Amino acid sequence: MSAASPSSAIDEMGGAIFPHRHLLGIAGLHPHEITFLLDEAEQWIALNRGKAKHDDRLAGLTQINAFFENSTRTLLSFEIAGKRLGMDVVNMAVAQSSVKKGETLIDTAITLNAMRPDVIVIRHESSGAVHLIADKVDCPVLNAGDGRHEHPTQALLDALTIRRRKGRIAGLTVAICGDVLHSRVARSNILALGTLGADVRVVGPPTLLPAEIERMGVTAFTDFDAGLEGADVVMMLRLQRERMAGGFVPSPREYHALYGLTPERLQRAAPDALVMHPGPMNRGVEISSSVADDLNRSAIPEQVEMGVALRMACLDVLTRRRRGVAGW
Amino acid sequence: MSDLAILNGRFVDGSAGGLLIRDGHIAAVGTFDVPEGVETIDARGKLIAPALIDVGAFAIDPAACLAGGITRVLLMPDQAQPLDSVALIQRMVVAGKPDIWIHPLAAATQGLAGTDLAEIGLMARGGAAGVATGRGWIGDSGVMHRLLGYAGALGLVTISHAEDGGLAADAVATQGETATRMGLSAAPAEAEAMAIARDLALVEISGAPLHFRQVTTAKGLALVRAAKARGLPVTCGITPAHLLLSDTAVSDFRTFARLSPPLRSEDDRKACLAALAEGTIDILCSAHDPRGPDAKRLPFADAEPGMSGAGTLLTLGLGLVRDGTIGLARLFDLVSGAPARRFGLPGGALEIGGEADVIIVDEGAPWQIQSDRMAAIAGNTPFDGLPVQGKVVRVVKGGVLL
């Protein structure tokens, strides 16, 4: 079944260009649907760079950001995106919610739904949790990251960043490096970039590469230098602190020595290789500061900028049907 | 106790005939003169078979058992209070009566913690039908070694759960493409073979009888096959789920398909079917573990494992007969004969003098498995919506028509 929407919703919800009720994942999206979202985001980049960063087309709608897992940047990005489109944006952080008091996820979903939101953005630490909620609510649901499963808007904003910097995605060699095992960003990017025709590699220590990852259409490398060879895009992943202490890698120091992106290492990649990181970075662990801060190579701040525009596009597209936009 | 004659039926070997039941026991099989005044049932050509004996269920669920033709249940020690004392065993022995007989399995270790031996001997005297490690594997090889020797000396079969604890620690799925795509923590299928290899090495030392409740991988089955060839006193079981479903069944995060051990690859599933056909697998069980929404309406990894299986064990088994995987007589050996022999229980066969635990089955009756309409404590079945054939129409327990 499609992770992008329950199959029953296809052709029922949304327009013909993007016939999905929710955005739960990249899995199940066609290349033209991904391209459509990227194209839609372009107008918001221009708006966001202007003086009056505001558009009222979603005025009167309510957006709930339900983040069951801590987040600063993604939450902020979704909040700004909703507000710039004129929505009333409410954040529900777990620390303040009754989830801490033992309320079940389903009960929380039903409660949120009863407040009649027009779109719900959800992040949760369990794979599949966002699907569970999406089945119980009446409005579009945007997955802002579920466990190790998917983080579709991150992959879309990464694709947008690459497309703007490189002019294309098809035919590029993209190396996704680091903790692929625990990374929803890696999974969504593998699906999105692969769907758009990139040659995707995953690079990391064997303890952090999931089994049969090749079945997702990627080439796996455990040798960092070999994996970087000739890459057009080097996408670094964050390594969680708790996984550096012997469980998966012996120490931050050893990880940096073997899998840290340094200027010397980067020379293996294509001369104009783009460096990306979904943030927040562990400087000196998976990436050295001199690479992260190199304006000619690093697209890291640009990723954040594209994130707001891309999320505005997603919020706009997913609410078109309920706003009665012609053709939706 | 009144006498009963079941007439005009068929037996699992294809022959026609009936059954005369007296004082709770089988008095005649095949053709016989019906004594005067005996209550008779016309089976109308349907199947007359021994009632099922379910090896290793987690709940006492008479409705589900009777719907599935099960009259005897070997109850796992994993209850709210682990069955690690004789008082608890004695309570369970009477808990299902009069409809079903519960044969509790003694917890191998105190509190099922896997460290200190429980009072296995006293529990056996109190009615425990065997010893079980519970939902988990005993990680400490020394404990398992002592357990096998001790239980074996008491004449008890030990039932082990074959999943290496280290590999399977946080896993909710089998390592492979599906788990990788879904972002689920997973253990390699070899976790099973590793556990089996160690347990078999310990059986080799003590000679104590061991039953693996579920063996679900090609490598695990190969080890059991080889051990049997060497003459070790080892048997193994499986559920219909691991014969009929592979791990792709969890690919929409369906928690009803979250099982322990987890569903395996398609290659392993096929190996299980082959092992069933060739006889490496001895027992087909339900692993009945009814779980309500509190345990199942959760994100996949947070949900409890387990399925409601008692009501569907026989009908899914009859599907294996229709597929040609096994014959009808073999099916009833898997669900009734072998369990009775292995654990020394009454029933399991239609033999003169044996206990009259009998079912009448309409093999062709079509129905649909529906999780919200199951006769069970909960309907958490991975087979929701599946059209099946085969219904139990009558159950006779100890000569009493239920």
Side-chain angles (χ1 to χ4, degrees), chain A residues 1 104-107 110 124 126-129 131-132 136 146-149 187 191 210-213 215-217, chain B residues 170 175-186 251-253 255 265 293-294 296-302:
Chain A
M1 102 166 219
T104 70
L105 192 55
I106 297 283
D107 288 339
I110 291 167
H124 197 281
S126 277
S127 301
H131 292 65
L132 194 64
K136 301 289 172 211
D146 64 321
R148 311 172 179 184
H149 178 231
R187 281 173 182 77
L191 293 167
E212 295 186 31
I213 187 75
R215 298 291 290 269
M216 293 185 77
Chain B
D170 311 320
Q175 198 169 287
E177 183 184 353
T178 301
T180 290
R181 282 184 182 274
M182 296 171 69
L184 296 173
S185 69
S251 57
D252 54 358
F253 294 106
T255 58
S265 70
D294 288 355
K296 285 290 190 183
R297 267 203 332 186
L298 294 169
F300 192 85
D302 304 333

Side-chain angles (χ1 to χ4, degrees), chain A residues 240-301:
Chain A
Q240 302 274 350
R241 289 260 158 212
E242 62 268 25
R243 295 182 181 128
M244 299 177 197
F248 291 87
V249 294
S251 68
R253 189 171 66 170
E254 175 156 331
Y255 187 76
H256 185 68
L258 270 62
Y259 294 97
L261 189 64
T262 58
E264 300 73 42
R265 274 251 164 72
L266 188 55
Q267 286 178 12
R268 299 251 175 189
D272 58 346
L274 196 63
V275 174
M276 304 175 74
H277 192 298
M281 287 182 281
N282 293 303
R283 288 170 181 265
V285 183
E286 70 262 9
I287 192 164
S288 67
S289 287
S290 51
V291 175
D293 300 335
D294 181 347
L295 291 178
N296 295 318
R297 309 299 292 277
S298 167
I300 296 167

Side-chain angles (χ1 to χ4, degrees), chain B residues 135-182:
Chain B
R135 292 182 190 276
W137 186 63
I138 291 181
D140 186 323
S141 302
V143 173
M144 189 65 181
H145 177 51
R146 291 189 289 275
L147 167 68
L148 281 168
Y150 194 84
L154 290 166
L156 296 171
V157 177
T158 298
I159 299 181
S160 179
H161 177 86
E163 271 190 295
D164 179 87
L167 281 176
D170 311 320
V172 299
T174 304
Q175 198 169 287
E177 183 184 353
T178 301
T180 290
R181 282 184 182 274
M182 296 171 69

Side-chain angles (χ1 to χ4, degrees), chain A residues 63-67 75 78-79 89-93 120-122:
Chain A
Q63 170 187 344
I64 298 181
N65 297 326
F67 277 55
L75 177 59
F78 270 108
E79 184 172 356
V89 183
V90 190
N91 296 329
M92 190 206 80
I120 304 179
V121 180
I122 302 167

Side-chain angles (χ1 to χ4, degrees), chain B residues 52-93:
Chain B
L52 277 59
I53 301 173
D54 195 11
V55 180
F58 291 90
I60 299 172
D61 191 347
C65 288
L66 294 181
I70 297 165
T71 56
R72 294 177 187 273
V73 172
L74 277 81
L75 182 71
M76 291 295 283
D78 312 73
Q79 303 301 309
Q81 214 176 340
L83 305 183
D84 63 357
S85 76
V86 66
L88 292 166
I89 292 288
Q90 284 166 338
R91 192 191 299 169
M92 291 302 144
V93 165

